[in-house]
């Protein structure tokens, strides 16, 4: 009789002051459903997705994976990450403290049989809610937006200070929601170009439009970007990767950095042996090496030749040469840009110069 009239046994904790609300809808196996619900009263809420018991389908039936990600709607079409879960079970739930406002629930069920089936979403908490289906066009890139918000508050955010830019940050995370992400936050004045290479990529793959075992992305100044990954729930997840990052700086930015952070070398008059007000600033940065000369004298000229031994670098203005010769008049400046051609590079150089009156 039990098997005939009941599907399972649950022992629940009942909250006398909680309200239960539910909504039945059809879940497409290939496309996510977006549901909007409104929280009127701040407090603790459970959000649950139920699929039919396996006893409706036969003894060999397996529950399908459920992806549930909840985001709070913010001004200007943005979202705050709230909760998420991925699980293959009859009842999949998450909970959290929700503030009054409008929320979006992302639900996707890639059914085992490839067909569409009904599921029920419910909330149990401090107030009743009502649900409405929202077109994808309304929420836009919902997943990218909620995980970008999650990335902003990730305690693992790490700067690119080692690459010469302390005002740009990145982090990565594999969540329990069935998704992972690589988040980039460029607060600097230079464009960030970075490439991620996966050495080990088990149980995880890049989410479209990205594919393969690497990706490259450019993040403009004062902008954020994110690349999502998708987790295979039936495999152990392991990812090991390396990153090659560079910052596209213009001459004014390089000059400022060279004078602030570069190695500073002063020229000496070959006849008098006195140091003169002519300087060379050498800066190694994420995209190569930069030389900046300035002649602050009123009546002296620098005649100099720099010979390079380069590996993984080239002279930007003359890629097939290995030396630069120039004359720097009083009040003049000169820059030499060495651009990297390989991820790993090295440099050696020698100088020969004369100070002319």
């Amino acid at each position: 009789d039990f098997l005939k009239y009941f599907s399972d046994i649950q022992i629940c904790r009942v909250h006398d002051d909680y309200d239960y609300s539910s909504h039945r809808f059809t879940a497409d196996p290939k496309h996510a459903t977006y549901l909007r619900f409104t929280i009127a009263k701040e407090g603790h809420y459970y959000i649950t997705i139920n699929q039919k018991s396996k006893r409706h389908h036969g003894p060999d039936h397996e529950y399908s994976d459920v992806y549930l990600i909840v985001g709070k709607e913010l001004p200007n079409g943005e979202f705050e990450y709230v909760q998420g879960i991925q699980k293959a079970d009859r009842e999949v739930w998450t909970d959290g403290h929700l503030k009054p406002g409008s929320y979006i629930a992302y639900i996707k069920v890639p059914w085992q049989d490839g067909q569409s089936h009904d599921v029920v979403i419910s909330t149990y908490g401090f107030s009743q809610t009502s649900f409405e289906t929202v077109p994808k066009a309304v929420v836009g890139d919902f997943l990218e937006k909620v995980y970008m918000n999650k990335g902003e508050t990730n305690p693992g955010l790490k700067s690119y200070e080692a690459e010469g830019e302390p005002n740009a940050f990145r982090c990565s995370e594999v969540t329990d929601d069935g998704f992972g992400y690589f988040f980039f936050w460029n607060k600097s004045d230079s464009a960030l170009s970075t490439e991620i290479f996966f050495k080990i990529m088990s149980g995880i793959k890049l989410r479209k439009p990205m594919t393969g075992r690497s990706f490259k992305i450019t993040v403009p100044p004062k902008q954020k970007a994110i690349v999502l990954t998708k987790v295979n729930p039936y495999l152990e997840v392991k990812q090991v990767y390396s990153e090659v990052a560079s910052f596209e700086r213009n001459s004014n930015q390089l000059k400022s950095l060279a004078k602030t952070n570069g190695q500073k070398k002063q020229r000496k008059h070959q006849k008098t042996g006195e140091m003169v007000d002519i300087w060379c600033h050498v800066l190694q940065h994420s995209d190569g090496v930069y030389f900046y000369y300035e002649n602050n004298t009123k009546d002296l000229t620098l005649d100099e030749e720099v010979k390079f031994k380069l590996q993984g670098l080239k002279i930007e203005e003359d890629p097939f040469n290995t030396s630069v010769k120039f004359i720097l008049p009083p009040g003049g400046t000169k820059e030499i840009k060495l651009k990297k051609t390989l991820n790993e590079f090295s440099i050696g150089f020698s100088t020969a110069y004369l100070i002319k009156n």
Side-chain angles (χ1 to χ4, degrees):
D1 286 342
F2 177 83
L3 292 177
K4 182 177 179 180
Y5 294 107
F6 299 96
S7 61
D8 69 347
I9 295 175
Q10 292 189 1
I11 300 174
C12 301
R13 180 179 181 182
V14 177
H15 298 266
D16 292 336
D17 54 347
Y18 277 23
D19 287 315
Y20 178 84
S21 306
S22 66
H23 172 71
R24 182 184 298 272
F25 66 97
T26 302
D28 186 304
K30 294 184 178 180
H31 302 97
T33 300
Y34 298 90
L35 296 176
R36 176 183 282 126
F37 62 95
T38 301
I39 296 297
K41 190 175 180 181
E42 181 174 353
H44 180 252
Y45 289 81
Y46 296 93
I47 305 170
T48 305
I49 299 291
N50 278 281
Q51 53 185 298
K52 282 186 177 180
S53 168
K54 62 172 62 178
R55 289 172 53 197
H56 286 271
H57 304 278
D60 297 327
H61 177 78
E62 294 183 358
Y63 289 117
S64 299
D65 291 294
V66 174
Y67 295 82
L68 170 62
I69 294 95
V70 180
K72 187 176 189 294
E73 291 191 89
L74 301 175
N76 304 319
E78 299 300 319
F79 295 92
E80 175 187 347
Y81 177 88
V82 178
Q83 291 289 342
I85 188 173
Q86 178 277 320
K87 193 176 182 181
D89 204 347
R90 179 187 173 184
E91 184 176 82
V92 177
W93 62 273
T94 185
D95 68 320
H97 188 90
L98 303 184
K99 296 181 179 180
S102 179
Y103 292 78
I104 295 292
Y106 165 103
I107 305 105
K108 188 172 183 181
V109 187
W111 298 101
Q112 297 276 3
D113 61 3
Q115 304 297 313
S116 296
H117 298 279
D118 284 357
V119 296
V120 174
I121 185 172
S122 64
T123 60
Y124 184 54
F126 273 52
S127 64
Q128 288 191 334
T129 58
S130 59
F131 299 89
E132 62 170 331
T133 302
V134 177
K136 187 181 187 308
V138 173
V139 297
D141 297 324
F142 174 80
L143 289 179
E144 286 80 357
K145 291 178 179 179
V146 291
Y147 287 115
M148 195 173 291
N149 174 263
K150 185 171 173 58
E152 289 178 10
T153 58
N154 190 321
L157 270 175
K158 182 181 178 181
S159 79
Y160 284 96
E161 188 168 5
E163 290 80 6
E165 186 47 77
N167 295 315
F169 306 86
R170 82 284 208 182
C171 66
S172 67
E173 182 182 3
V174 178
T175 73
D176 295 329
D177 314 344
F179 296 97
Y181 64 85
F182 289 81
F183 173 62
F184 306 92
W185 195 350
N186 186 7
K187 298 181 179 182
S188 77
D189 296 321
S190 307
L192 163 64
S193 293
T194 186
E195 191 164 6
I196 299 291
F197 301 89
F198 289 92
K199 300 175 181 178
I200 299 176
M201 197 179 190
S202 173
I204 196 166
K205 67 177 182 178
L206 292 171
R207 191 168 183 269
K208 294 180 180 179
M210 300 293 186
T211 58
R213 298 178 64 87
S214 66
F215 68 85
K216 189 174 184 178
I217 190 170
T218 298
V219 188
K222 312 300 182 184
Q223 298 293 318
K224 295 172 283 189
I226 196 165
V227 173
L228 297 183
T229 56
K230 191 170 182 180
V231 175
N232 185 332
Y234 303 101
L235 295 175
E236 180 183 1
V237 176
K238 187 175 182 180
Q239 63 177 22
V240 178
Y241 60 90
S242 61
E243 181 182 12
V244 178
S246 63
F247 290 86
E248 301 169 8
R249 299 183 173 97
N250 59 38
S251 292
N252 287 334
Q253 291 171 327
L254 287 172
K255 179 177 69 174
S256 177
L257 284 171
K259 294 183 69 172
T260 303
N261 302 328
Q263 295 182 2
K264 190 176 183 181
K265 299 180 181 296
Q266 190 174 9
R267 294 298 181 249
K268 180 190 294 186
H269 199 292
Q270 68 277 0
K271 290 184 178 180
T272 65
E274 295 180 352
M275 306 302 291
V276 297
D277 200 5
I278 301 176
W279 301 86
C280 173
H281 307 268
V282 183
L283 173 73
Q284 182 171 320
H285 57 99
S286 61
D287 206 29
V289 182
Y290 178 74
F291 288 70
Y292 178 69
Y293 290 83
E294 54 182 353
N295 184 350
N296 299 320
T297 69
K298 296 181 179 181
D299 55 359
L300 298 177
T301 297
L302 172 67
D303 185 347
E304 179 162 317
E305 182 177 16
V306 188
K307 294 182 179 180
F308 295 103
K309 290 183 179 180
L310 304 176
Q311 291 185 345
L313 292 165
K314 65 179 180 181
I315 301 172
E316 192 170 288
E317 293 183 354
D318 193 359
F320 300 104
N321 208 340
T322 58
S323 65
V324 176
K325 190 173 183 179
F326 61 93
I327 294 176
L328 190 64
T333 61
K334 168 70 179 178
E335 63 179 9
I336 302 173
K337 295 180 180 180
L338 304 179
K339 188 173 182 63
K340 72 176 182 182
T341 58
L342 299 173
N343 295 332
E344 301 290 335
F345 60 83
S346 64
I347 178 175
F349 65 94
S350 61
T351 61
Y353 64 86
L354 290 174
I355 305 296
K356 300 179 181 179
N357 292 322

